[in-house]
Amino acid sequence: MTQAHRLSLRQRLALELWRRHEANARAEHPLRQLFWECTLRCNLHCRHCGSDCKAVAAQRDMPAEDFLRVLDSIARQCDPHQVFVVISGGEPLMRQDLEEVCAAIYHRGYPWGMVTNALALTPQRFQALVRAGMHSITVSLDGLAAEHNWMRGHQHSFDMVDQALAMLVATPHITFDVVTCINRRNLSQLAAIRDYLIAKGVKRWRVFTVFPVGRAAADPDMRLTPDELHTMMQFIRHTRKDGQIRMDYGCEGFLGAYEGEVRNRLFSCQAGITIGSVLADGSISACTSIRANYHQGNIYTDDFMEVWQRAFLPYRDRRWMKQGPCAHCKFFRYCQGNGMHLRDDEGNLLFCILNELGV
């Protein structure tokens, strides 16, 4: 058994308690986060994009009033203050009505935040979003200037991120974090990125590795080798112990002996359990990264909350995942088949980070 597959007694006890907690969550499935894919347009052409977004998208932006009707429907069954709305894309700032829509979300009682590449986050737009009630924001940064601009395909991308971080640090009532896609090209820069973020005053840093979908599937520079994955995990461990910045690894699967050491929580996929989404075409889904075969309805034909309460069975009962590489895995009780975004249209597992780390 490899090091990544060895669990201490303390880890096993924690995972057993967590497993029971998650079973209760699946049974109750309280809606706590709602993603709105407000556009599929984007002002960048990033190498790792799983959605392959473009400046001109085939799917038009969802009219604001259509999403607001969904929020009004949800409010009849849920306390809006308990449902956090996350505005995503594409790039949300491609919508010229974004501030107006977000103000309407806020006035309905929903806290909201957004995910952005910051290229269009001018000081004027930032202040307009703050006035519209923005609670949180996630900004993407994939390296220092040269590496970030290479990843994002734009010579001014890093400068705009740098400006955005300065504005956010100067606005303490806005919660924010930085998210970084770790790849073969920027792995050696992790210490430099960390030091840059600490110097800027950033307190939260979230990192992820890509899975083989979209543009990333055809780019060998995006996929870390097993040895490189271990290097990354060790770096996260060290950075967390150092305590100058809170660094977390994303939800790319169960991590064996790294569980409890590289995230602030043990692994679980909350898609369809506490997290739902409304996609640009009206599809009712969970995480916006999940394949179309797992959509549960459409807001133009179905009531969101009725779908939320009665559908989402593939997310809440994971026994169907116990097949292929998961069929005889002794960690299935904790992993539950990995993140839903790692399954293809036929339900096959695209990627298992535990196998990458331990085999």
Side-chain angles (χ1 to χ4, degrees), residues 13 41 62 72 91 95 118-119 125 127 153 214-215 222 227 232 276 298 304 330 337 342:
L13 290 172
R41 293 180 293 141
M62 177 179 286
D72 292 338
E91 168 52 48
R95 289 187 68 120
L119 187 65
R125 292 207 77 178
Q127 290 303 322
R215 294 180 201 138
M222 294 297 103
D227 285 345
M232 177 192 70
N298 194 289
F304 181 92
K330 66 179 182 179
L342 300 177

Side-chain angles (χ1 to χ4, degrees), residues 121-130 134 167-168 171 174:
L121 192 61
T122 62
Q124 294 76 18
R125 292 207 77 178
F126 177 73
Q127 290 303 322
L129 290 164
V130 171
M134 181 168 65
M167 293 188 294
L168 287 163
T171 314
I174 301 293

Side-chain angles (χ1 to χ4, degrees), residues 291 293-294 340-350:
R291 312 281 76 72
N293 274 12
Y294 302 104
M340 284 290 292
H341 67 292
L342 300 177
R343 297 277 166 171
D344 67 14
D345 283 344
E346 286 73 45
N348 301 310
L349 187 62
L350 292 166

Side-chain angles (χ1 to χ4, degrees), residues 141-346:
L141 174 73
D142 294 313
L144 300 182
E147 302 306 320
H148 175 84
N149 291 342
W150 171 83
M151 175 77 95
R152 298 282 163 171
H154 196 291
Q155 63 179 336
H156 299 303
S157 181
F158 178 84
D159 291 339
M160 291 303 293
V161 170
D162 185 74
Q163 174 182 266
L165 296 181
M167 293 188 294
L168 287 163
V169 169
T171 314
H173 70 278
I174 301 293
T175 299
F176 77 97
D177 67 351
V178 170
V179 63
T180 298
C181 172
I182 298 181
N183 56 80
R184 302 195 72 184
R185 185 152 170 165
N186 67 10
L187 180 66
S188 63
Q189 287 192 341
L190 287 181
I193 299 169
R194 177 198 60 202
D195 294 346
Y196 162 77
L197 293 175
I198 291 170
K200 291 292 290 186
V202 174
K203 302 297 183 185
R204 298 176 182 87
W205 183 22
R206 183 159 41 96
V207 301
F208 69 98
T209 45
V210 300
F211 55 101
V213 170
R215 294 180 201 138
D219 191 337
D221 283 329
M222 294 297 103
R223 183 83 171 265
L224 299 183
T225 67
D227 285 345
E228 289 168 337
L229 283 170
H230 279 289
T231 297
M232 177 192 70
M233 294 297 176
Q234 294 293 345
F235 179 85
I236 298 172
R237 271 178 170 170
H238 174 78
T239 299
R240 289 173 63 85
K241 288 178 181 178
D242 184 58
Q244 294 188 72
I245 188 171
R246 195 186 87 180
M247 187 177 186
D248 292 296
Y249 182 63
C251 56
E252 301 307 320
F254 180 74
L255 301 175
Y258 289 113
E259 284 295 325
E261 297 189 356
V262 297
R263 297 187 183 107
N264 268 21
R265 57 184 287 163
L266 298 173
F267 172 72
S268 66
C269 177
Q270 292 297 303
I273 300 171
T274 62
I275 297 173
S277 70
V278 175
L279 304 187
D281 65 355
S283 295
I284 298 171
S285 188
C287 167
T288 54
S289 297
I290 292 170
R291 312 281 76 72
N293 274 12
Y294 302 104
H295 296 347
Q296 303 295 295
N298 194 289
I299 65 167
Y300 294 112
T301 56
D302 306 293
D303 177 76
F304 181 92
M305 284 306 297
E306 182 175 342
V307 171
W308 178 257
Q309 296 295 358
R310 300 179 185 277
F312 286 90
L313 185 62
Y315 297 86
R316 296 167 188 167
D317 184 348
R318 300 293 195 90
R319 287 175 294 183
W320 66 270
M321 289 184 170
K322 202 167 175 59
Q323 58 179 310
C326 298
H328 304 291
C329 179
K330 66 179 182 179
F331 294 112
F332 186 86
R333 65 190 289 108
Y334 307 131
C335 178
Q336 290 291 298
N338 238 311
M340 284 290 292
H341 67 292
L342 300 177
R343 297 277 166 171
D344 67 14
D345 283 344
E346 286 73 45

Side-chain angles (χ1 to χ4, degrees), residues 56-77:
V56 178
Q59 174 65 48
R60 70 177 186 132
D61 294 356
M62 177 179 286
E65 58 269 21
D66 295 349
F67 181 66
L68 294 175
R69 279 196 295 270
V70 172
L71 295 185
D72 292 338
S73 171
I74 292 173
R76 289 192 284 270
Q77 297 190 44

Side-chain angles (χ1 to χ4, degrees), residues 23-47:
N24 291 333
R26 286 193 295 273
E28 297 174 4
H29 49 266
L31 181 64
R32 291 290 179 259
Q33 273 191 313
L34 179 67
F35 282 80
W36 179 35
E37 189 181 64
C38 70
T39 182
L40 286 180
R41 293 180 293 141
C42 189
N43 48 9
L44 292 177
H45 190 81
C46 303
R47 290 176 176 268

